[in-house]
């Protein structure tokens, strides 16, 4: 059994064959927002796990949680990580500046930590796993990626026999909900964001969702497990959905594509890793195209298994709580049995990944231009593309832009290096017949 600070007061007499659930495991939780509330609801059904203290931002806030003893609430999160009675800390406050020192302190005080904090794991995972190992305590984070979808353990264990070739994921529920509603209900961006916030999918500051950072943390965690490399977030290209318009969504749909915010990671040439987050056009018959609303999905290509896809709710109170509580039970069942808990979800890496710059990546592209509506415009676009080796798959005029009366010309390319595409676009934009670049999106 692990030497927890309160092991003398909570001595377990159980053997591994007969777990003793009569001696409760003592929990502390930091955060009682959306996820914390879900965790509380699930755990309040149990008698073998008890909350000793829960840290909240405001003690004055009204909370409709049956059985919640206000005496157990504190606004001092530090008291949770230092309280000798607490064996396991559940960190569901989010953010890094406050959470990181608290988790470190919890480890130093011999406590296991369950977190759903993707930013913390993506930015400081290596440091935290080293410390947890040194202190012989556990760090679990299934809820950090795609909420209720089991993906960390399956990637670490069930797919361990594979060389992972590619991961493409819809990893943010807020933006997937927004893009779905913009496509199906013709909502504008602002309406879609407001509804996502009302439904409790968005982070406190939705910039992390719509800016793609939330998805970038998640794909970085998955990439570090799959490719066994540390990912320096500074080198992960990240573009959100703030400039995606309903016009582009409708045009893409008419051409057989749906627009999704995708976290992508694949092995590139010469040992480099192509890892990025941005909106992409996904063909209607790709499995990821059918993932709607707040659902997430992770599509993985392994050299032995082929293609697999994990699907489910990637945001919200109960789906995230489902993953957090599963981690907790994995640890506490062993504590009940008197065993060392299952090993941490440690991410074993061999140095930092060499990340391919986005300008070196190869993609197909969807481009929409605002142009003059006169003869020769399509010809000049074709000539500029040809000059830089950009091969066109199709080019069509889709009527007139209502807002400025310009022609809407859309073209789709074959696959090419991004730097070639940028050169061709520079040449196209320089022509007086081209009024504006409406949108450039990569195709999966
Ligand atoms: N805000 C996140 C999302 C929830 O929309 O997916 C959990 O990361």
């Amino acid at each position: 059994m692990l030497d927890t600070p309160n092991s003398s007061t909570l001595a377990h007499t159980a053997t591994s064959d007969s777990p003793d659930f009569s001696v409760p495991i003592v929990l502390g939780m930091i955060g009682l927002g959306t996820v914390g509330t879900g965790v509380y609801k699930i755990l309040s059904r149990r008698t073998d796990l008890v909350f000793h203290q829960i840290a909240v931002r405001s003690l004055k806030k009204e909370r409709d949680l049956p059985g919640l003893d206000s005496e157990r609430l504190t606004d001092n999160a530090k008291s949770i990580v230092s309280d000798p009675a607490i064996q396991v800390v559940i960190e569901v406050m989010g953010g890094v500046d406050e959470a990181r020192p608290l988790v470190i302190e919890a480890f130093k005080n011999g406590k296991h930590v369950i977190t759903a904090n993707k930013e913390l794991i993506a930015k400081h995972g290596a440091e935290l796993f080293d410390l947890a190992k040194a202190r012989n305590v556990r760090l679990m984070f299934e809820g950090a990626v795609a909420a209720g979808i089991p993906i960390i353990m399956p990637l670490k264990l069930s797919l361990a026999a594979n060389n992972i070739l590619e991961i493409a994921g819809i990893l943010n529920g807020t933006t997937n909900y927004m893009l779905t509603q913009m496509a199906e209900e013709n909502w504008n961006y602002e309406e879609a964001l407001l509804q996502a916030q009302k439904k409790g999918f968005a982070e406190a500051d939705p910039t992390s969702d719509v800016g793609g950072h939330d998805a970038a943390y998640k794909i970085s965690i998955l990439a570090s497990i799959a490719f066994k490399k540390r990912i320096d977030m500074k080198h992960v290209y990240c573009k959100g959905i703030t400039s995606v318009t309903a016009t582009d969504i409708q045009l893409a749909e008419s051409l057989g594509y749906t627009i999704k915010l995708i976290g992508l990671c694949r092995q590139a040439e010469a040992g480099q890793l192509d890892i990025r987050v941005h909106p992409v056009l996904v063909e209607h018959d790709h499995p990821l195209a059918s993932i709607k609303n707040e659902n997430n999905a992770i599509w993985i290509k392994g050299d032995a298994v082929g293609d697999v896809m994990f699907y489910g709710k990637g945001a919200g109170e109960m789906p995230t709580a489902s993953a957090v509580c599963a981690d907790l039970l994995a640890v506490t069942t062993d504590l009940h049995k008197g065993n060392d808990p299952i090993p941490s979800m440690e991410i074993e890496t061999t140095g930092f990944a060499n990340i391919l710059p986005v300008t070196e990546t190869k993609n197909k592209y969807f481009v929409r231009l605002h142009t003059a509506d006169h003869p020769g415009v399509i010809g000049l676009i074709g000539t500029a593309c040809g000059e830089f080796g950009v091969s066109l798959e199709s080019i069509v005029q889709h009527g007139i832009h209502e807002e400025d009366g310009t022609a809407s010309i859309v073209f789709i390319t074959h696959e090419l290096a991004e730097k070639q595409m940028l050169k061709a676009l520079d040449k196209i934009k320089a022509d007086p017949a081209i009024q504006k670049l409406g949108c450039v999106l990569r195709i999966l």
Side-chain angles (χ1 to χ4, degrees):
M1 178 176 162
L2 285 179
D3 184 19
T4 52
N6 53 339
S7 55
S8 55
T9 53
L10 283 168
H12 292 156
T13 53
T15 67
S16 56
D17 296 334
S18 61
D20 181 358
F21 293 103
S22 65
V23 182
I25 304 292
V26 182
L27 312 175
M29 183 154 75
I30 306 174
L32 192 54
T34 304
V35 181
T37 298
V39 171
Y40 178 85
K41 285 179 185 167
I42 292 177
L43 297 183
S44 62
R45 309 197 282 249
R46 303 186 67 109
T47 54
D48 58 323
L49 304 168
V50 294
F51 281 112
H52 189 64
Q53 279 196 86
I54 301 176
V56 295
R57 291 226 181 269
S58 164
L59 290 169
K60 292 194 187 119
K61 187 176 165 188
E62 292 281 322
R63 293 168 214 276
D64 184 19
L65 283 174
L68 180 66
D69 176 358
S70 58
E71 294 292 302
R72 296 277 169 208
L73 300 183
T74 173
D75 55 7
N76 178 11
K78 285 188 188 148
S79 72
I80 299 219
V81 295
S82 59
D83 188 328
I86 290 173
Q87 291 168 281
V88 184
V89 172
I90 302 167
E91 183 280 300
V92 282
M93 72 189 303
V96 161
D97 295 347
E98 285 177 82
R100 179 173 160 265
L102 289 167
V103 170
I104 289 173
E105 200 54 29
F107 288 155
K108 288 185 176 163
N109 291 325
K111 300 177 197 318
H112 310 289
V113 174
I114 316 295
T115 181
N117 192 328
K118 57 251 148 186
E119 186 176 358
L120 184 69
I121 298 293
K123 289 183 176 167
H124 301 288
E127 172 199 21
L128 297 177
F129 285 113
D130 284 351
L131 188 58
K133 203 173 196 173
R135 300 286 169 150
N136 197 25
V137 289
R138 307 299 179 233
L139 172 59
M140 310 287 278
F141 59 96
E142 184 65 69
V145 178
I149 305 175
I151 186 61
I152 304 299
M153 280 307 201
L155 190 55
K156 264 182 82 73
L157 301 179
S158 319
L159 296 174
N162 287 262
N163 286 317
I164 303 297
L165 306 173
E166 182 168 353
I167 302 177
I170 294 173
L171 296 166
N172 183 267
T174 302
T175 46
N176 203 49
Y177 172 84
M178 291 172 65
L179 291 170
T180 305
Q181 296 301 323
M182 287 166 78
E184 294 187 352
E185 303 297 331
N186 220 2
W187 287 358
N188 65 28
Y189 176 88
E190 287 74 21
E191 258 177 305
L193 177 58
L194 193 66
Q195 288 305 323
Q197 285 174 308
K198 278 193 183 155
K199 286 178 174 277
F201 304 145
E203 301 294 306
D205 174 3
T207 318
S208 181
D209 295 299
V210 296
H213 310 291
D214 177 80
Y217 299 137
K218 293 168 181 170
I219 192 67
S220 298
I221 293 172
L222 296 181
S224 61
I225 297 171
F227 297 99
K228 298 190 170 46
K229 291 284 180 196
R230 288 179 65 181
I231 306 295
D232 184 341
M233 295 297 308
K234 285 198 297 291
H235 300 306
V236 177
Y237 174 82
C238 176
K239 183 169 168 31
I241 65 159
T242 48
S243 55
V244 174
T245 64
T247 304
D248 292 311
I249 292 175
Q250 304 307 339
L251 271 175
E253 291 288 338
S254 73
L255 296 170
Y257 297 93
T258 188
I259 297 183
K260 296 290 186 192
L261 181 70
I262 297 281
L264 183 71
C265 184
R266 51 167 81 116
Q267 197 74 64
E269 285 154 26
Q272 286 181 298
L273 211 55
D274 176 7
I275 174 167
R276 45 198 159 109
V277 171
H278 51 73
V280 292
L281 272 70
V282 180
E283 274 184 82
H284 280 158
D285 60 3
H286 191 289
L288 288 172
S290 63
I291 309 305
K292 297 194 174 181
N293 292 317
E294 77 275 24
N295 290 302
N296 282 193
I298 302 112
W299 177 84
I300 300 179
K301 189 186 272 300
D303 65 347
V305 73
D307 298 354
V308 284
M309 191 162 89
F310 299 81
Y311 164 79
K313 297 225 177 302
E317 178 185 293
M318 297 311 281
T320 315
S322 160
V324 171
C325 292
D327 280 352
L328 179 69
L329 293 175
V331 170
T332 57
T333 302
D334 278 329
L335 287 177
H336 277 303
K337 285 181 179 173
N339 292 344
D340 265 4
I342 62 157
S344 296
M345 291 171 162
E346 185 187 356
I347 303 177
E348 287 150 20
T349 53
T350 54
F352 279 95
N354 179 0
I355 296 177
L356 187 72
V358 74
T359 49
E360 300 295 322
T361 63
K362 288 187 181 153
N363 307 278
K364 289 177 68 170
Y365 297 87
F366 163 97
V367 179
R368 177 172 58 84
L369 298 164
H370 293 237
T371 78
D373 192 13
H374 62 57
V377 175
I378 287 188
L380 80 85
I381 294 168
T383 306
C385 284
E387 194 179 321
F388 294 97
V390 176
S391 172
L392 296 181
E393 185 178 289
S394 70
I395 180 162
V396 182
Q397 177 168 346
H398 282 270
I400 300 291
H401 289 111
E402 273 178 25
E403 68 273 26
D404 60 6
T406 58
S408 168
I409 292 186
V410 172
F411 66 86
I412 287 181
T413 71
H414 289 295
E415 187 175 270
L416 69 140
E418 181 130 333
K419 56 188 173 196
Q420 265 172 279
M421 185 74 241
L422 293 174
K423 282 181 190 158
L425 287 174
D426 280 346
K427 174 91 183 198
I428 290 168
K429 281 188 297 185
D431 194 288
I434 309 299
Q435 248 103 94
K436 196 166 82 172
L437 189 56
C439 132
V440 184
L441 289 170
R442 303 173 188 89
I443 300 177
L444 189 63

